[in-house]
């Protein structure tokens, strides 16, 4: 999703901190309620003052190591320093990057990744298979990446190749290998060495990112030097962004903490794999009946939910695959129809006139989610089921899900980019709070993991999930890149890379 708006954010500075999300966690996401939406346009006569130098925030006390750094401030600068074997494009598809090509032996569950020749780190040393293998082994044991690499049994290095052996089939593994590579032996430094278009250094003007003259892509860069401004916490970063001391940050605009900044600010949205959905307790009446679950799915106008409640910072989705992905089974979608909803409720025996109340849990710390839950509850309460929203603090909400103490819940989870849904709907899955246990679902999940034709396998799985409805997908959230109006143009960000198409990006500076 790409939208550009010129907006004015009118809040008191320092009132509430900004939740940064330049690099997403790998754990299930339960965060929400940022506030940058459909404000009135700024006065067109207001003067736009360009910066003398393009500046990004960073924390000098935290590592820039992309495997171990904290989420937030470091991620934008890090995206210009480090590169992975693959990168996810704007359709969330893996594209070879530091990897030239690869093969997969399904019998031995072994991938062989051939590295691109001629790639050097910013210190001039060549990228080796040992460097890449060392990063992947560190990632496997890291908090950030351990979940996505849980089925990697071993990583080894050969002559220009990295060999990854799996513990189970996964024909979509390349989508998980956008993990940034650092030079082995430099990971203990606060500024490990990378292969990207810029590198960290310090000159007479202070900390900065300098253009890597030996960058293997050899493409143009918008500026030769990017200043770095020390921001040791989110409040400091926010103040600097509001005062235009820094020109660009990333944010979750429907996240927990609202934006508190002033001035001419524009934004671009980027698609993510973060799914919001309605979950059922499939062991409780009436939701042990697939007809009841499926009927409720027909009563949700997802497009209206996104536009009216989530400020457009999401994409409506009927399946647990992002609509921007070529793997999304658009041919299976059905148009919203209230008459269709009413007929389905009648067929499920939920239009008898005997009302019953069920509870929809939601995290109270996220006002966007609370509003979304209330919107859905109102839409679905026209017949026998009367849905009551119960907003709980995060700890109580999470405990209730873990204990199965709910009828429905409003959930959010970051799905892996290979669209492995095992944790969410597989029997015994770590995120399968609804207790869905179905051999046919497990067989289809296994078929997806092993499939050569992933689109066909995912379509079969989604068609079955559409009928059984163990969860009701609602939308995929966007992340947002905020920047000073007029200072940047041509941004086409992804969730991990604000400067995804770097040669097309232009930075506009004040002339001396």
């Amino acid at each position: 999703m790409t939208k550009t708006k010129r907006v004015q954010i009118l809040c008191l500075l320092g009132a509430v901190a900004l939740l940064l999300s330049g690099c997403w966690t790998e754990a299930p996401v339960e965060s929400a309620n940022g506030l940058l939406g459909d404000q009135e346009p700024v006065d067109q006569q207001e003067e736009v003052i360009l910066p003398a130098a393009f500046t990004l925030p960073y924390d000098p006390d935290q590592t820039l190591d992309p495997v171990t750094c904290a989420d937030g401030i470091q991620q934008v600068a890090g995206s210009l320093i480090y590169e992975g074997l693959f990168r996810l494009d704007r359709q969330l598809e893996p594209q070879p990057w530091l990897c030239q090509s690869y093969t997969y032996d399904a019998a031995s569950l072994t991938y062989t990744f051939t590295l691109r020749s001629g790639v050097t780190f910013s210190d001039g040393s060549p990228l080796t298979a040992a460097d890449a293998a060392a990063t992947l082994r560190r990632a496997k044991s890291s908090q950030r990446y351990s979940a996505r690499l849980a089925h990697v049994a071993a990583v080894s290095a050969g002559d220009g190749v990295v060999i990854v052996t799996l513990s189970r089939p996964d024909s979509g593994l390349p989508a998980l290998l956008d993990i940034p590579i650092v030079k082995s032996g430099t990971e203990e430094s606060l500024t490990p060495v990378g292969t990207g278009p810029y590198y960290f250094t310090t000159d007479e003007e202070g900390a900065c990112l300098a253009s890597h003259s030996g960058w293997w892509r050899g493409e143009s860069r918008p500026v030769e030097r990017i200043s770095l401004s020390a921001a040791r916490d989110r409040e400091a970063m926010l103040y600097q962004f509001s005062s235009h001391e820094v020109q660009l940050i990333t944010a979750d605009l429907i996240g927990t903490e609202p934006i508190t900044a002033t001035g001419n600010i524009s934004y671009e949205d980027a698609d993510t794999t973060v799914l919001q959905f309605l979950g059922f307790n499939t062991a409780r009446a009436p939701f042990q009946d697939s007809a009841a679950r499926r009927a409720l799915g027909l009563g949700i106008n997802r497009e209206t939910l996104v536009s009216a409640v989530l400020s457009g910072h999401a994409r409506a989705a009927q399946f647990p695959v992002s609509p921007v992905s070529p793997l999304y089974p658009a041919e299976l979608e059905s148009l919203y129809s209230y008459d269709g909803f009413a007929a389905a409720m009648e067929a499920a025996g939920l239009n008898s006139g005997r009302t019953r109340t069920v509870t929809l849990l939601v995290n109270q710390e996220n006002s966007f989610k609370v509003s979304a839950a209330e919107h859905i509850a109102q839409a679905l309460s026209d017949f026998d089921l009367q849905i009551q929203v119960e907003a709980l603090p995060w700890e109580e909400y999470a405990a209730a899900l873990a204990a199965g103490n709910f009828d429905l819940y409003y959930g959010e989870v970051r799905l892996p980019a290979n669209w492995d849904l095992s944790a969410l709907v597989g029997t015994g899955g770590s995120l399968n709070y609804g207790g869905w246990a179905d051999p046919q679902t497990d067989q289809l999940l296994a078929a997806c993991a092993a499939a050569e034709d992933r689109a066909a396998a995912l379509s079969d799985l989604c068609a079955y999930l559409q009928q059984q409805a163990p969860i009701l997908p609602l939308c995929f959230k966007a992340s947002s890149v905020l920047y000073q109006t007029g200072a940047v143009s041509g941004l086409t960000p992804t969730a991990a890379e604000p400067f995804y198409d770097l040669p097309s990006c232009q930075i506009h500076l004040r002339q001396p």
Side-chain angles (χ1 to χ4, degrees):
M1 178 181 301
T2 303
K3 296 191 294 184
T4 305
K5 291 185 179 179
R6 189 167 181 243
V7 298
Q8 187 174 36
I9 311 167
L10 300 174
C11 300
L12 294 177
L13 285 172
V16 187
L18 170 68
L19 175 64
L20 287 179
S21 58
C23 182
W24 299 84
T25 63
E26 294 295 310
V29 178
E30 184 63 39
S31 62
N33 192 37
L35 185 57
L36 171 68
D38 300 323
Q39 292 90 346
E40 292 298 317
V42 296
D43 185 350
Q44 297 300 312
Q45 301 303 312
E46 185 176 347
E47 182 181 5
V48 174
I49 301 176
L50 296 178
F54 187 74
T55 305
L56 297 174
Y58 93 114
D59 186 342
D61 300 326
Q62 288 189 10
T63 181
L64 281 164
D65 173 30
V67 174
T68 60
C69 70
D71 293 329
I73 284 177
Q74 306 296 68
Q75 305 307 324
V76 175
S79 71
L80 294 168
I81 301 173
Y82 307 106
E83 301 171 306
L85 295 179
F86 295 82
R87 71 198 305 220
L88 296 183
D89 64 18
R90 288 173 61 80
Q91 288 70 51
L92 302 172
E93 282 286 286
Q95 302 299 330
W97 205 241
L98 298 181
C99 172
Q100 176 70 50
S101 61
Y102 68 93
T103 59
Y104 176 44
D105 183 349
S108 64
L109 301 179
T110 300
Y111 277 89
T112 301
F113 300 98
T114 301
L115 296 186
R116 194 177 297 276
S117 62
V119 177
T120 61
F121 288 104
S122 59
D123 65 359
S125 61
L127 168 69
T128 69
D131 294 310
T135 295
L136 294 184
R137 284 193 290 267
R138 284 200 305 123
K140 179 172 170 55
S141 61
S142 71
Q143 181 178 1
R144 184 184 301 280
Y145 295 117
S146 59
R148 74 160 72 175
L149 300 180
H151 302 296
V152 171
V155 180
S156 61
D159 184 12
V161 299
V162 176
I163 302 165
V164 176
T165 304
L166 304 177
S167 59
R168 70 164 207 185
D170 186 356
S171 59
L173 180 68
L176 306 181
L177 297 183
D178 60 335
I179 299 168
I181 304 299
V182 305
K183 181 177 178 178
S184 183
T186 70
E187 60 271 8
E188 296 300 324
S189 167
L190 288 178
T191 56
V193 177
T195 62
Y198 290 88
Y199 65 95
F200 179 90
T201 189
T202 302
D203 58 20
E204 63 279 0
E205 296 180 40
C208 67
L209 300 181
S211 178
H212 174 193
S213 61
W215 186 37
W216 63 278
R217 293 287 294 180
E219 296 174 331
S220 62
R221 275 141 280 188
V223 287
E224 288 296 305
R225 182 185 186 277
I226 297 174
S227 297
L228 295 176
S229 179
R232 289 178 169 83
D233 54 44
R234 291 177 295 181
E235 288 78 8
M237 180 280 306
L238 180 58
Y239 175 79
Q240 292 178 20
F241 182 62
S242 301
S243 60
H244 298 326
E245 295 173 48
V246 301
Q247 280 71 52
L248 184 147
I249 60 175
T250 57
D252 179 356
L253 296 183
I254 49 176
T256 301
E257 299 175 278
I259 295 292
T260 56
T262 59
N264 291 338
I265 297 170
S266 300
Y267 72 87
E268 294 276 352
D269 278 351
D271 290 284
T272 76
T273 65
V274 178
L275 171 69
Q276 292 193 351
F277 63 97
L278 205 63
F280 296 102
N281 187 333
T282 60
R284 285 188 183 180
F287 302 126
Q288 79 275 29
D289 181 4
S290 62
R293 301 191 300 263
R294 188 167 59 249
L296 291 188
L298 294 175
I300 303 171
N301 188 330
R302 292 163 174 82
E303 296 288 351
T304 298
L305 177 72
V306 167
S307 61
V309 183
L310 301 179
S311 301
H313 297 297
R315 284 190 188 269
Q318 296 182 25
F319 305 100
V321 179
S322 171
V324 303
S325 169
L327 302 178
Y328 184 80
E331 71 280 0
L332 299 177
E333 285 190 329
S334 59
L335 294 175
Y336 169 77
S337 163
Y338 183 83
D339 290 342
F341 169 46
M345 293 293 280
E346 179 78 29
L350 295 174
N351 191 20
S352 66
R354 298 186 299 273
T355 62
R356 61 183 299 174
T357 299
V358 295
T359 301
L360 169 57
L361 299 188
V362 64
N363 176 18
Q364 75 174 21
E365 293 151 18
N366 183 325
S367 67
F368 280 99
K369 288 183 184 174
V370 172
S371 296
E374 291 173 344
H375 176 89
I376 291 171
Q378 182 177 9
L380 299 183
S381 294
D382 279 0
F383 302 97
D384 288 358
L385 292 183
Q386 300 300 301
I387 300 177
Q388 179 178 353
V389 174
E390 183 176 358
L392 298 175
W394 168 247
E395 291 79 6
E396 295 180 27
Y397 170 84
L401 295 191
N405 187 21
F406 62 91
D407 297 312
L408 305 100
Y409 70 97
Y410 193 102
E412 179 176 302
V413 62
R414 178 181 308 285
L415 295 175
N418 64 347
W419 307 115
D420 179 4
L421 306 177
S422 301
L424 189 59
V425 295
T427 300
S430 60
L431 304 175
N432 186 356
Y433 299 114
W436 176 246
D438 177 65
Q440 181 65 21
T441 300
D442 294 337
Q443 291 174 16
L444 290 167
L445 288 168
C448 284
E452 291 186 16
D453 187 345
R454 300 186 66 234
L458 265 173
S459 181
D460 290 343
L461 173 61
C462 288
Y464 186 72
L465 294 177
Q466 185 180 50
Q467 290 301 309
Q468 296 300 315
I471 63 170
L472 298 179
L474 300 172
C475 63
F476 281 85
K477 286 176 57 175
S479 65
S480 301
V481 178
L482 279 61
Y483 56 94
Q484 179 185 343
T485 300
V488 187
S489 61
L491 279 180
T492 55
T494 64
E497 299 183 60
F499 301 95
Y500 175 75
D501 186 6
L502 188 63
S504 298
C505 176
Q506 294 181 312
I507 291 175
H508 308 285
L509 303 177
R510 183 170 69 247
Q511 296 302 313

